[in-house]
Amino acid sequence: MELLQELQKKQEMIENALSDYVPATENEQGTIYRAMRYSLLAGGKRLRPVIMLLACELCGGRAEDALPFACALEMIHTYSLIHDDLPAMDNDDLRRGKPTNHIQFGEAMAILAGDGLLNKAFEITADSKTVPAEVAIRAISVLANASGTEGMIGGQVIDIENEEKSLTMNQLQYLHSLKTGAIIRAAGVVGAIVAGADAEKVKALDDYCLNLGIAFQIRDDILDVVGTEQDLGKTIGSDAQNQKTTYLTLCSLEEAESLVGAFTEKAIRALDSFGEKKEILISLARYLLDRKN
Amino acid sequence: MELLQELQKKQEMIENALSDYVPATENEQGTIYRAMRYSLLAGGKRLRPVIMLLACELCGGRAEDALPFACALEMIHTYSLIHDDLPAMDNDDLRRGKPTNHIQFGEAMAILAGDGLLNKAFEITADSKTVPAEVAIRAISVLANASGTEGMIGGQVIDIENEEKSLTMNQLQYLHSLKTGAIIRAAGVVGAIVAGADAEKVKALDDYCLNLGIAFQIRDDILDVVGTEQDLGKTIGSDAQNQKTTYLTLCSLEEAESLVGAFTEKAIRALDSFGEKKEILISLARYLLDRKN
């Protein structure tokens, strides 16, 4: 229960800050603020920003100082979902139990809302002033590189180009390391950087997130097969429909479950050198291991 | 001739740096680098980055120090053109004499190439290290705000939402102040900031760019009516076809020509307090006054 309370507290911090950063603005371009808020405030686990705040605290920093960077990461995650859902990309109609952004606001506005969120991520981090400029610049660099063509965007490219092709396990892992892994790692790394952590601690949180990200992705692939639309709030079976290679096309359900467990344990071991405050991140890893959505 | 030589020198600096920042990468996601380079290295006047380098030098700074920020601005400009040309937006097939990005690479890759360039703008500025972190963060903030929902993206929203409506002169000017004006102003402001200029000089370069941007936009509207596709390298008459309000729907050709002249002179007067190095920016303003493309 302590974990759930702590998660809820952090989630509330993030929800409030996200809503403040993208206010319901009634000017000439008010539509884009509604479109951005529609997807940004549609709920979700806020996993990435929560990890960043917890990583910051684990390294002795204040969650408030990491908050702008955590919100930026969630904006980047959200923009990627909006663009991913577009007809030219995955062509999804449903996301988090609601019509996708382009279904609600039209394609042009959805493209711009995505652009607006990516852009806003850098506005708020450059304007944040919660940490010295040297630290902020380093954090922005990590975020930008994680979300770029050698990170998340690169992963989306590989994903799209291989939709109807079979990938090997190595190729699949490379794809995920970019598409979803890079920004999860950035959560841990930026949290540590904001706290002023030394290189060893930054590395430990990077390792935690790296392994957690893999476990998370395999669980996603499992849920796309065995989950329910009601639990997930999105169309299931879309991987198979798009003929995408997933962990479940390369191994059995049992093997996949066992991999989730193994990577979760690896994530937990990465935190060995930290004190008792690490318990919350350990609980989080175990919680995600069993998630239904 | 001195102006043209100086412009060419700066353009070469920018071309080389842009090509270095987005190399032809042969990894798994190589396609996106080709798509980004296709639009980024398609020529163009490089007006925004050239102005930034000249503004930096006018304030006593080194063009090299402003180069990453100048390239970032050009990347932001280029990504906006790629997304603007998409079928869901302006649906243009031709840009700078070549097929638009989505015609060449498909819609999905064009969306990602745009995302990639916007993202790359912040990667290279955060990683630049040409100026102290405090200066870099201030420059990034100006760039990000100019390209965001209260800047360029906001302008695109207003543009799209009013395509088949008539705008008043005030509304048209507000639209342009965001859509094209904001990032031209950022060119002057960031150039001055990188040089460590005082508030008065930053303001003067802001004013120069503000007025130059308006003159530039009116000239654009004129060329969309009286220019040739060969000179412009893009489809002409598209404003009328999309039923967009332009300066030429609100005033006569003669009035529009006279406005271009008046705003050009206002831009030049904004530089009054600078020494003889301002001649190059004055020549640039006069050069743009008479441009054919």
Side-chain angles (χ1 to χ4, degrees):
Chain A
M1 281 317 291
E2 202 195 332
L3 171 71
L4 291 181
Q5 278 170 6
E6 183 60 28
L7 288 186
Q8 206 181 347
K9 218 177 99 191
K10 293 288 186 283
Q11 281 163 345
E12 275 171 23
M13 264 180 87
I14 293 158
E15 294 298 331
N16 291 336
L18 288 173
S19 182
D20 288 347
Y21 279 129
V22 184
T25 302
E26 289 307 323
N27 60 9
E28 296 284 318
Q29 62 269 36
T31 310
I32 194 170
Y33 289 94
R34 286 192 290 282
M36 287 160 74
R37 286 173 65 87
Y38 177 82
S39 294
L40 189 63
L41 305 178
K45 291 173 288 292
R46 310 303 189 191
L47 176 65
R48 294 155 194 79
V50 164
I51 289 175
M52 194 189 293
L53 300 188
L54 295 175
C56 181
E57 288 184 335
L58 181 61
C59 295
R62 297 186 311 172
E64 295 75 27
D65 293 346
L67 194 54
F69 301 93
C71 289
L73 200 61
E74 189 68 6
M75 288 177 190
I76 289 169
H77 173 59
T78 304
Y79 112 77
S80 79
L81 299 180
I82 295 174
H83 281 188
D84 247 7
D85 286 338
L86 286 168
M89 311 270 279
D90 283 355
N91 195 20
D92 270 321
D93 291 352
L94 196 62
R95 165 77 66 184
R96 290 175 178 159
K98 301 201 305 182
T100 45
N101 201 287
H102 65 274
I103 297 289
Q104 192 73 15
F105 293 92
E107 261 187 81
M109 200 55 65
I111 293 167
L112 290 171
D115 294 345
L117 285 169
L118 172 57
N119 198 93
K120 184 67 78 181
F122 295 106
E123 290 175 59
I124 68 172
T125 46
D127 290 342
S128 61
K129 297 188 170 56
T130 58
V131 289
E134 295 78 16
V135 178
I137 265 284
R138 213 177 132 206
I140 294 172
S141 167
V142 172
L143 285 179
N145 283 282
S147 58
T149 47
E150 292 299 310
M152 185 185 72
I153 294 174
Q156 288 173 304
V157 171
I158 299 173
D159 201 16
I160 280 174
E161 293 207 308
N162 290 284
E163 245 177 25
E164 300 187 1
K165 294 179 201 159
S166 296
L167 297 182
T168 64
M169 182 59 93
N170 274 348
Q171 288 173 317
L172 183 69
Q173 285 174 338
Y174 179 66
L175 160 63
H176 288 316
S177 72
L178 299 186
K179 188 176 178 187
T180 55
I183 75 167
I184 295 179
R185 288 173 68 182
V189 170
V190 170
I193 287 174
V194 166
D198 61 27
E200 197 190 331
K201 283 183 174 161
V202 172
K203 174 76 169 61
L205 279 157
D206 190 4
D207 281 349
Y208 169 81
C209 289
L210 169 66
N211 289 293
L212 194 77
I214 298 171
F216 189 82
Q217 182 59 52
I218 303 173
R219 171 64 68 216
D220 246 19
D221 286 355
I222 294 172
L223 289 172
D224 195 66
V225 172
V226 307
T228 68
E229 287 199 10
Q230 199 178 357
D231 278 346
L232 292 169
K234 65 178 178 183
T235 317
I236 62 159
S238 64
D239 291 340
Q241 206 180 314
N242 291 331
Q243 299 182 44
K244 284 189 182 179
T245 304
T246 75
Y247 278 94
L248 288 197
T249 41
L250 295 176
C251 57
S252 70
L253 183 60
E254 291 68 30
E255 285 167 328
E257 289 282 3
S258 148
L259 280 173
V260 175
F263 281 107
T264 300
E265 289 311 311
K266 246 180 122 174
I268 290 169
R269 281 202 307 277
L271 301 177
D272 275 352
S273 64
F274 289 98
E276 63 174 29
K277 265 204 278 179
K278 73 183 173 190
E279 288 308 322
I280 187 86
L281 280 173
I282 292 176
S283 303
L284 179 66
R286 296 235 159 90
Y287 176 71
L288 291 174
L289 177 70
D290 294 323
R291 72 196 170 92
K292 295 276 176 287
N293 61 44
Chain B
M1 281 319 291
E2 204 196 330
L3 170 72
L4 291 182
Q5 278 170 6
E6 183 60 28
L7 288 186
Q8 205 182 347
K9 217 177 102 190
K10 293 288 186 283
Q11 282 163 344
E12 274 171 24
M13 263 181 87
I14 292 157
E15 294 298 330
N16 290 336
L18 289 173
S19 182
D20 287 348
Y21 279 130
V22 184
T25 302
E26 290 306 324
N27 61 6
E28 296 284 318
Q29 63 268 37
T31 311
I32 195 170
Y33 289 93
R34 284 192 292 281
M36 289 160 74
R37 287 173 64 87
Y38 178 81
S39 294
L40 189 63
L41 305 179
K45 292 173 287 292
R46 310 303 188 191
L47 176 66
R48 295 155 194 80
V50 164
I51 289 175
M52 193 189 293
L53 300 189
L54 294 176
C56 182
E57 288 184 334
L58 180 61
C59 295
R62 296 186 310 175
E64 295 74 29
D65 292 346
L67 194 54
F69 302 93
C71 288
L73 200 62
E74 189 68 6
M75 288 177 190
I76 289 169
H77 173 59
T78 305
Y79 112 77
S80 78
L81 298 181
I82 295 174
H83 282 189
D84 248 7
D85 286 338
L86 286 167
M89 310 272 277
D90 284 354
N91 194 22
D92 270 321
D93 292 351
L94 196 63
R95 166 77 66 186
R96 289 175 179 159
K98 301 201 303 182
T100 46
N101 201 287
H102 64 275
I103 297 288
Q104 190 74 15
F105 293 94
E107 262 186 80
M109 200 55 64
I111 293 167
L112 290 170
D115 294 345
L117 285 169
L118 173 57
N119 197 93
K120 184 67 76 179
F122 295 105
E123 290 175 59
I124 68 172
T125 46
D127 291 342
S128 61
K129 297 187 170 57
T130 57
V131 289
E134 296 79 15
V135 178
I137 213 102
R138 214 177 132 207
I140 293 172
S141 168
V142 172
L143 284 180
N145 283 282
S147 58
T149 48
E150 292 298 311
M152 186 184 72
I153 295 173
Q156 288 172 305
V157 171
I158 299 172
D159 201 17
I160 279 174
E161 294 207 307
N162 290 284
E163 244 178 26
E164 299 187 1
K165 295 177 199 158
S166 295
L167 299 181
T168 63
M169 183 59 93
N170 275 347
Q171 289 173 316
L172 182 69
Q173 284 175 339
Y174 179 65
L175 161 62
H176 288 317
S177 74
L178 299 185
K179 188 175 178 188
T180 55
I183 72 166
I184 295 180
R185 287 173 69 182
V189 171
V190 170
I193 287 174
V194 166
D198 61 27
E200 196 191 332
K201 283 184 175 162
V202 172
K203 175 74 170 61
L205 279 157
D206 191 4
D207 281 350
Y208 169 80
C209 289
L210 168 66
N211 289 293
L212 193 77
I214 298 171
F216 189 82
Q217 181 59 52
I218 303 173
R219 170 65 67 215
D220 245 18
D221 286 356
I222 294 173
L223 289 173
D224 195 64
V225 171
V226 307
T228 68
E229 287 199 12
Q230 200 180 356
D231 279 345
L232 292 167
K234 66 179 178 183
T235 316
I236 63 159
S238 65
D239 291 339
Q241 207 181 313
N242 292 331
Q243 299 182 45
K244 285 191 182 177
T245 303
T246 74
Y247 278 93
L248 287 197
T249 42
L250 295 175
C251 58
S252 69
L253 182 59
E254 290 68 30
E255 285 168 328
E257 289 282 3
S258 147
L259 281 172
V260 175
F263 281 107
T264 300
E265 290 310 312
K266 248 179 119 172
I268 290 169
R269 281 202 308 277
L271 301 178
D272 275 352
S273 65
F274 289 98
E276 64 173 28
K277 265 205 277 181
K278 73 183 172 189
E279 289 306 323
I280 186 87
L281 281 172
I282 294 176
S283 303
L284 179 65
R286 298 234 158 90
Y287 175 71
L288 292 173
L289 177 69
D290 294 322
R291 72 196 170 92
K292 295 275 176 286
N293 62 42

